[in-house]
Every structure is written in structure tokens, then in C-alpha cells.
Amino acid sequence: MVKPSAPESLCVMRLSAVGDVCHTLPVVRTLQAAWPTTRITWIVGKLEASLVGDIPGIEFIIFDKSQGPYRQMRRALKGRRFDLLLHMQMSLRASIASLAVKAPLRLGFDRERAHDLQWLFTNRRIPHRDRQHVMDSLFGFSEALGIERHVLRWDIPVPAAAEQAAIQLIGGRPTLIISPCANPRFRNWRSWQPEYYATLAEHAASKHGMQVFITGGKSEIEKSYGERITALSKAPVTDLVGKTKLKELLALLKQATVLVSPDSGPIHMGTAAGIPVIGIYATTNPDRAGPYLSQRWRVNRYPDALQKFDGLTPETAPWGTRVRDPKAMDCITVADVTGKLDELMSAKARGEKLLTDG
């Protein structure tokens, strides 16, 4: 355990990805609440900085992975020293970059979880805990510093223009946002079929009077998904794939009723936006990576896929095991997702609290 008094300065090393940066932010908010006078510097990836890089009270240093990791950080941090480094990213590139951070205390993951030799680049480690959600594992850093209370606060700024555009587009109507794709490099094993999403859109429109928006990035895979879902759906669907930056997507999420998505960054942006998220999971374990405040609404076919394709159970599989079969997501039926949407909308109509406290 490392329990310093409030340091004058600390550096957070968490470069990517969007979802994990969303997981990291409440830990940083926790540090801010416990140590309000501490100067916090966060080294973050270029894309991720476009989402969080304007948060007041935090200095952001942008890491561009197209450049040499050590050289660019050495230039950015020349002459700087910190009291504490929180090395929260397990990648060799991040560890090499961390060598440019001058700090006497370098806190990282425990040896069991410190993949990619991260343990070689730290001199203090958080306690080992088995089978945690990703966000809970990151809270291990604040806990190791003697801060037990978790602050589940995001408060990511949204530009006024993006907020106004989202308000005008959604217009206060019940709205389902579908973010159908995970990172395009996972296309072979995280993809649910476009026709399933189209049927979901029809159900949301006919049963709940919802307008439906499809969102995503600019890759050809994501554009193809948007086009196919829009063409297949008998209900009107607005295709916004490739048309929203991260801040604009966050603004839309803040105005929406619910988000449906497979394991992806937008799921955790939905959590940050404060809306319920129906995460559809078969290839990854939602106990580890599900929407943190919406686990009640997840569709969990991970045990089925794990048994069918790998002959394992969640209890026997190593934590973090992924099912890498292109047919795994077919374990999720349309009825699984529409049923969860019906349950959520009924709970909303009854005035129930839709998000948990973590």
C-alpha cells in the first residue's frame, strides 16, 4: 500500500482507449475530491483527448502513437518532476513513454495483472484482486493511496453548439441510439447482424414510439452497417455514421433515452452521459467490461458462447477470456434485446431508478 499525504503533483498515464479513458475519469475525479490542491497531469491519446482534453482543473498532455513514445514525452516533460506517477496502462508503448515521467513513486498494477512487462516500469503496485470490473481495478489505484470513497462523476464538457444541435435533432422525443459496431479490428467476432438491429429499430418505433439513430465512426465497416440497417428497417432510421465526433456523440447521448451497443467505447460514453445502456455481450464478459451503472440492462450470452465455442464456463475461464469466433454474437437473439428494451421502458414508465450506484 502507498499512502502519501496529498502530493503537490501527480501524473496519470492512461492513453487509450475511449472506453478505458471513461473508466479512468472517475478515478481522477476521486483524486480531485480527496486532494483538491494537487496538480494533476494526464497523459492521454490523441483521439481520447478530443473527448476529455478540455476538462477544467486537469493538465492534459497528448500522446501521439505515430511518434516515438519516449522521445515525444521527453520533449513534452523536459524539466518536469512529479511526486507520483499512476501508470494505469498496460502496454509496452505506454511503459516506454512512462520512462520520461520523473517521479519517485511509480504506482502500477500488481504483478499478476501487469501485462506487457508493466511491473518492470513501476516501483509500487496496487493489491491484487481477482475478477474485477475494469473500473474497479482502476479504482485500485486510489484505494492504494488510502482513498476509499469512490466518486462516480464524469462531467465531461460538451460544447454549446454540439449541445444545441443534439437538442434540436432529438427534440425531446423518446430516442434509441444504436452504435452497432465495436472497434473495426474486432469485426470478425464482435459483430451482431445488421438485420437484427433493423428489427430492433422497428420494435422500438412501433411499441415505444421511439425515433432511432445509428452512430459510428468513419470506417467502411461502420458505414456499411449504417447503410444496411437503414435499408433493412421498415421503421425510419437516421444514419449518423461517420457524421459525429466524440463530443457530438456525447451530446446526443445526453439527450437520448437509451443506447444499445456491443462491447465498445460508446457503451462507456453512455455511462458517462448518464443514460441507461443495453450492452449486448457474447464475446466478452460483461462482469469485467459491461456498462458500469447499467448492468441490470445488459444482455449476457457470454456464458453460452464461451461454452459453445471454447468449452469453458465463466468460472473456469481465465478472467478476460474473449470468444473469438465470428458466430459468437449469434448467441444473442433479437428477443433478448427487445425484451430488455421493453423491461427498461416499463421501469422508466413506473418512475424506477434506471442506473445503479456502481
Side-chain angles (χ1 to χ4, degrees):
M1 299 289 285
V2 179
K3 294 187 177 181
S5 56
E8 289 187 12
S9 63
L10 67 83
C11 181
V12 174
M13 171 72 70
R14 182 75 221 194
L15 310 178
S16 61
V18 168
D20 289 319
V21 165
C22 289
H23 287 142
T24 303
L25 182 53
V27 182
V28 175
R29 294 301 197 191
T30 295
L31 297 172
Q32 288 179 308
W35 295 335
T37 62
T38 298
R39 299 189 305 276
I40 298 177
T41 298
W42 186 343
I43 301 173
V44 69
K46 189 175 182 180
L47 172 65
E48 294 73 14
S50 71
L51 177 64
V52 300
D54 58 347
I55 294 176
I58 303 171
E59 176 195 21
F60 288 90
I61 295 177
I62 296 176
F63 179 87
D64 184 349
K65 64 181 180 181
S66 68
Q67 302 181 30
Y70 176 69
R71 183 174 297 176
Q72 65 170 303
M73 286 300 101
R74 185 176 63 179
R75 288 196 303 266
L77 297 172
K78 186 177 181 180
R80 301 278 299 274
R81 295 189 67 85
F82 301 90
D83 297 311
L84 172 65
L85 167 67
L86 303 185
H87 189 351
M88 302 172 79
Q89 179 116 14
M90 288 180 286
S91 73
L92 189 57
R93 179 189 285 119
S95 290
I96 291 171
S98 78
L99 293 174
V101 180
K102 305 304 180 186
L105 290 177
R106 305 173 63 86
L107 182 62
F109 283 95
D110 53 282
R111 182 70 178 268
E112 292 88 344
R113 292 182 288 182
H115 301 155
D116 293 327
L117 304 177
Q118 193 220 40
W119 57 273
L120 289 174
F121 298 83
T122 61
N123 55 23
R124 299 287 191 280
R125 295 170 188 105
I126 67 174
H128 176 71
R129 292 190 175 92
D130 284 325
R131 297 180 176 265
Q132 287 187 300
H133 190 280
V134 172
M135 190 182 296
D136 291 325
S137 72
L138 294 171
F139 270 123
F141 283 80
S142 55
E143 291 166 0
L145 296 168
I147 304 169
E148 296 299 327
R149 177 173 171 264
H150 297 174
V151 177
L152 290 173
R153 181 170 70 87
W154 286 264
D155 290 346
I156 302 171
V158 173
E163 182 178 33
Q164 276 303 117
I167 290 171
Q168 291 178 4
L169 188 61
I170 289 180
R173 292 180 56 194
T175 300
L176 167 64
I177 293 182
I178 298 174
S179 180
C181 298
N183 188 312
R185 66 191 175 95
F186 300 130
R187 66 170 295 185
N188 290 329
W189 49 280
R190 286 192 185 179
S191 297
W192 207 42
Q193 300 298 329
E195 54 265 34
Y196 300 163
Y197 285 119
T199 304
L200 169 64
E202 293 167 8
H203 179 87
S206 62
K207 183 164 185 176
H208 301 292
M210 304 182 85
Q211 58 183 345
V212 180
F213 295 90
I214 310 295
T215 65
K218 295 182 178 181
S219 72
E220 291 304 314
I221 296 168
E222 291 165 288
K223 289 178 182 178
S224 173
Y225 256 73
E227 291 167 0
R228 290 186 65 192
I229 294 167
T230 303
L232 290 168
S233 174
K234 296 183 178 69
V237 173
T238 301
D239 183 2
L240 297 178
V241 174
K243 299 175 183 177
T244 57
K245 297 179 181 178
L246 289 180
K247 288 286 195 184
E248 294 164 338
L249 174 57
L250 183 65
L252 286 171
L253 291 170
K254 283 178 173 287
Q255 299 299 321
T257 307
V258 59
L259 168 71
V260 172
S261 179
D263 183 23
S264 64
I267 272 189
H268 308 298
M269 288 180 64
T271 298
I275 66 166
V277 177
I278 298 175
I280 55 174
Y281 285 78
T283 63
T284 53
N285 188 344
D287 288 340
R288 179 182 179 275
Y292 195 73
L293 303 182
S294 295
Q295 293 286 47
R296 174 184 176 185
W297 308 117
R298 69 189 187 182
V299 173
N300 182 15
R301 291 295 182 181
Y302 175 70
D304 306 83
L306 193 61
Q307 178 64 52
K308 181 176 181 178
F309 297 103
D310 294 341
L312 298 170
T313 68
E315 293 73 29
T316 60
W319 193 241
T321 296
R322 295 180 174 92
V323 181
R324 299 176 184 267
D325 191 287
K327 296 181 180 179
M329 289 294 284
D330 288 339
C331 291
I332 300 170
T333 68
V334 172
D336 287 335
V337 185
T338 57
K340 195 61 71 173
L341 178 63
D342 293 346
E343 182 186 345
L344 186 150
M345 295 302 287
S346 294
K348 179 177 173 63
R350 293 191 298 268
E352 292 182 16
K353 184 178 180 181
L354 301 181
L355 303 179
T356 65
D357 296 323

